[in-house]
Amino acid sequence: MPVLELRDVSKSFGALKVAQGISFAVENGEALGIIGPNGAGKSTLFNLITGNVTLDAGSITFDGNDVTRAAPMKRCAAGLGRTFQIPQPFSKLTVFENLLVAAGFGSSATETEAVGRCADILVETGLVEKANATAGSLSLLQRKRLELARALATDPKLLLLDEIAGGLTQGECAALVNTIRAIHARGVSIIWIEHVLHALNSVVERLLVLDFGKVIGIGAPDEIMASKDVREIYLGIEV
Amino acid sequence: MPQWGIETKTRASRAFLSVAAIVVAAGIAAPLFLSRSTIQDLFFILTMLVLAQCWNLLAGYAGLVSVGQQAFVGFGAYAMFACVSLAGFDPLIAIVLGGVAATLLSLPLGFFVFRLQGAYFAIGTWVVAEVVRLLLAQWRALGGGTGTSLPNTATRDMWAARLVADLLGVRSAQALDILTYWLALLLACLTMGFIYWLLRTRQGLGLAAIRDNQEAARSVGVDAASLKWAVYVSVAFVTGVCGALIYVQKARISPDAAFSVIDWTAYVIFIVVIGGIGTLEGPIVGVIVFFLLQNTLADYGSWYLLVLGLIGIGVMLFAPRGLWGLFTDRTGIQFFPVRRRLVKRQEDASTDALQGGRDG
């Protein structure tokens, strides 16, 4: 059974159509990558899935339930975790408190369970030494890790990662990919928007290509990367 | 496997708890050794502290910058007057009913102002407060635009005031001052206790998250709208009770005074801003500074407001976290810590604080 299913999802901002009849499904335990040029509507698609932006038409089913009109916090409580492309930490709270908010509100954990889980996630994401530092004082890599850690603290069934490897050095990126792989290996489904293709392709089982709010291809990474349309639109290679 | 735990208390907060208990005990005993005018001053300080803590919770934690809190002060006070003058209630009961009336008022007002964001919210709260003032100015039974006084017998015959008069051997007017002062002390302690408790709960953490980033807070499951509503309504109740209490002591009301934006909102914002917004200690520092300035500058007419304004601007420019923020940045001391620090508990029961924790 698919963990997430979108049917004919459309959204316009005035005359700008950012999503045009998007339909796809993500199977339970699958990792799906999303690529596309800047302005293709990738982050808007995430906002539509999480409910931060309301859709004009279509429907979204998550874990067997229609969540089309559900508020973001309801979707989060149902198991939809997300990161933001530009990290959005709770700057005046500590790293640990950032996770505690997510565990306290986004999951059904008791306070004692939440503390243990947050600490384990901080260890896994390499942030435990910064646990009591304010989130506003973190470096870019640490902020990206905090985005991931905070999303994990909600105990998601499906994790939406928005360009989490962007702006990182190769070493930092490799370490982050290992962490994401470990999360995926635990059975967490993932949708990952990324421009760093080698990182993306080392984790995902399928790729979806978005352009001007339309799905122009979905399939195995090798097939997608070999596709004429994708090479022209996304990679800018004339075929 | 390490055992993880949370720690919120600090050395300073443990010490402060003892000092606070002594201060409250001294406050209770104050009418025994302080003059009547000093008790009236303390009443003013305590009621302004309550209003400042309420506004601080609204603006500093829930991000709701209201400039219309005078609506709840005035409505609570008018409701108290109506209960006493028209329905014959005991003023003590009428004070609580003043809070209930302000809570009921906050529901329709919230319906309008919660549709607005940021500066528009601030302006909206001011506008609806003016509407409430104009409506109450039409209430002829309570003196219309010129206002009215509480019946002498209502305050003189209060059972609690008579008890105080008999107990301390003072006249009824002084007994009323002492009674209202004790009530203000109780209200201040309850308000600060409630806010401190709230900030240490899961909801308090959610409020802090909303303040920092509402969109991200919603994405991790925080119901921002409900939390803001809950804060707005609870603050309306406390502000209404405080307004009613202030006007039991004043015993005379008029729409202009009860709904004064300067007295009940501008001064309150000044207190919170110079003391330190977003901290429980800030309004305490702010109200003391405000009282000292008011007394020092009382003879300088409009210069008084001008100097207050200049000080407010100066603090906002050079110490945006207020005087308490300046102090705590340098010392790390917090009397009401809400920071939850992750600690690793060792087998020998000692704790190991991780980086970033300051135990002031």
Side-chain angles (χ1 to χ4, degrees):
Chain A
M1 190 180 82
V3 67
L4 179 80
E5 190 168 5
L6 275 72
R7 286 192 210 97
D8 289 324
V9 168
S10 297
K11 175 72 185 175
S12 299
F13 293 121
L16 184 66
K17 291 177 178 172
V18 288
Q20 301 185 58
I22 295 178
S23 298
F24 68 90
V26 179
E27 293 302 319
N28 213 344
E30 186 189 359
L32 172 75
I34 298 182
I35 58 171
N38 286 330
K42 302 185 295 294
S43 292
T44 305
L45 180 60
F46 267 15
N47 285 332
L48 290 168
I49 294 171
T50 57
N52 290 77
V53 171
T54 52
L55 43 76
D56 294 339
S59 69
I60 300 174
T61 309
F62 177 68
D63 205 20
N65 299 309
D66 186 348
V67 294
T68 310
R69 299 288 158 204
M73 63 263 185
K74 300 265 187 218
R75 300 187 200 200
C76 175
L80 246 174
R82 76 167 294 176
T83 68
F84 287 90
Q85 183 183 352
I86 299 166
Q88 310 268 329
F90 306 126
S91 309
K92 291 178 191 158
L93 297 184
T94 64
V95 169
F96 171 60
E97 285 174 322
N98 268 260
L99 268 64
L100 210 52
V101 173
F105 285 89
S107 78
S108 53
T110 63
E111 193 176 320
T112 319
E113 288 167 355
V115 174
R117 187 199 297 160
C118 292
D120 291 343
I121 293 169
L122 287 172
V123 172
E124 182 180 20
T125 51
L127 283 170
V128 73
E129 291 305 316
K130 287 282 179 186
N132 295 323
T134 52
S137 68
L138 299 183
S139 67
L140 176 66
L141 172 66
Q142 289 164 343
R143 281 174 191 236
K144 296 252 179 188
R145 286 184 171 278
L146 176 57
E147 281 289 312
L148 178 62
R150 197 175 60 186
L152 286 176
T154 64
D155 196 15
K157 291 189 181 95
L158 173 63
L159 185 58
L160 308 180
L161 304 172
D162 196 350
E163 295 193 28
I164 197 145
L168 303 184
T169 64
Q170 210 162 3
E172 290 170 347
C173 184
L176 196 65
V177 164
N178 284 338
T179 310
I180 295 169
R181 268 209 205 106
I183 294 161
H184 182 44
R186 291 204 297 267
V188 177
S189 309
I190 290 175
I191 305 181
W192 186 0
I193 295 174
E194 193 54 76
H195 286 300
V196 186
L197 292 178
H198 64 87
L200 189 64
N201 287 338
S202 67
V203 175
V204 303
E205 287 115 24
R206 285 194 302 158
L207 271 183
L208 181 151
V209 189
L210 210 58
D211 190 36
F212 287 111
K214 278 185 183 164
V215 176
I216 59 164
I218 184 164
D222 290 349
E223 288 170 28
I224 290 293
M225 297 317 289
S227 147
K228 179 173 169 283
D229 285 348
V230 173
R231 288 167 73 82
E232 274 183 4
I233 292 168
Y234 184 50
L235 302 175
I237 300 168
E238 283 193 28
V239 181
Chain B
M1 286 283 286
Q3 289 292 308
W4 300 100
I6 299 184
E7 215 171 68
T8 46
K9 285 182 183 146
T10 63
R11 279 193 296 271
S13 73
R14 286 188 200 100
F16 176 72
L17 203 63
S18 318
V19 175
I22 294 166
V23 169
V24 171
I28 295 168
L32 300 175
F33 52 84
L34 291 179
S35 70
R36 190 179 166 191
S37 68
T38 311
I39 291 298
Q40 286 171 343
D41 286 343
L42 286 174
F43 173 82
F44 171 76
I45 289 172
L46 288 168
T47 49
M48 290 307 277
L49 176 62
V50 170
L51 295 179
Q53 290 290 3
C54 285
W55 191 83
N56 186 36
L57 178 62
L58 261 189
Y61 289 98
L64 297 168
V65 182
S66 164
V67 285
Q69 290 311 96
Q70 67 276 16
F72 303 119
V73 173
F75 200 74
Y78 262 94
M80 180 276 293
F81 260 71
C83 289
V84 173
S85 301
L86 306 179
F89 279 96
D90 185 285
L92 279 189
I93 296 166
I95 289 171
V96 179
L97 293 177
V100 173
T103 309
L104 294 175
L105 177 70
S106 71
L107 301 176
L109 293 198
F111 178 78
F112 289 112
V113 297
F114 273 88
R115 285 154 197 277
L116 306 168
Q117 301 282 332
Y120 296 98
F121 175 85
I123 296 164
T125 53
W126 193 352
V127 169
V128 292
E130 279 300 290
V131 171
V132 177
R133 179 181 73 83
L134 290 168
L135 285 175
L136 284 178
Q138 310 303 313
W139 197 355
R140 290 185 187 277
L142 287 178
T146 51
T148 186
S149 299
L150 275 180
N152 275 336
T153 50
T155 48
R156 201 180 53 210
D157 295 344
M158 275 167 75
W159 66 267
R162 282 207 310 272
L163 187 70
V164 172
D166 292 344
L167 209 66
L168 301 180
V170 293
R171 286 200 275 178
S172 62
Q174 190 176 352
L176 181 67
D177 281 343
I178 293 170
L179 177 66
T180 50
Y181 159 74
W182 276 338
L183 289 175
L185 182 64
L186 176 68
L187 184 61
C189 291
L190 289 178
T191 304
M192 290 178 62
F194 165 71
I195 295 174
Y196 190 42
W197 167 80
L198 176 70
L199 296 179
R200 290 177 60 143
T201 62
R202 191 174 70 109
Q203 273 67 26
L205 196 58
L207 270 180
I210 293 168
R211 175 200 61 198
D212 281 4
N213 193 320
Q214 183 163 319
E215 207 53 27
R218 291 174 74 215
S219 292
V220 294
V222 181
D223 187 348
S226 300
L227 266 179
K228 284 185 171 193
W229 260 103
V231 167
Y232 185 71
V233 171
S234 350
V235 161
F237 174 76
V238 180
T239 307
V241 167
C242 191
L245 177 60
I246 290 168
Y247 278 90
V248 164
Q249 200 256 4
K250 285 183 187 283
R252 164 142 194 94
I253 199 167
S254 72
D256 288 347
F259 290 89
S260 165
V261 66
I262 299 277
D263 289 346
W264 312 127
T265 298
Y267 287 159
V268 165
I269 294 175
F270 176 82
I271 288 168
V272 177
V273 168
I274 61 164
I277 192 164
T279 62
L280 266 165
E281 298 91 338
I284 301 173
V285 175
V287 79
I288 294 166
V289 173
F290 172 70
F291 177 74
L292 294 175
L293 283 171
Q294 201 182 38
N295 274 14
T296 314
L297 302 169
D299 299 330
Y300 294 93
S302 55
W303 283 98
Y304 159 59
L305 283 175
L306 203 70
V307 172
L308 281 193
L310 284 174
I311 292 172
I313 292 168
V315 170
M316 280 187 267
L317 284 177
F318 301 109
R321 294 186 58 229
L323 298 175
W324 181 258
L326 267 185
F327 173 75
T328 203
D329 282 349
R330 278 163 176 71
T331 61
I333 290 173
Q334 288 178 333
F335 293 149
F336 297 97
V338 289
R339 181 74 82 216
R340 294 147 181 89
R341 284 171 303 135
L342 181 67
V343 290
K344 204 188 286 183
R345 299 196 195 287
Q346 308 295 349
E347 281 183 4
D348 60 357
S350 63
T351 58
D352 178 13
L354 297 157
Q355 189 188 334
R358 289 181 88 176
D359 193 7

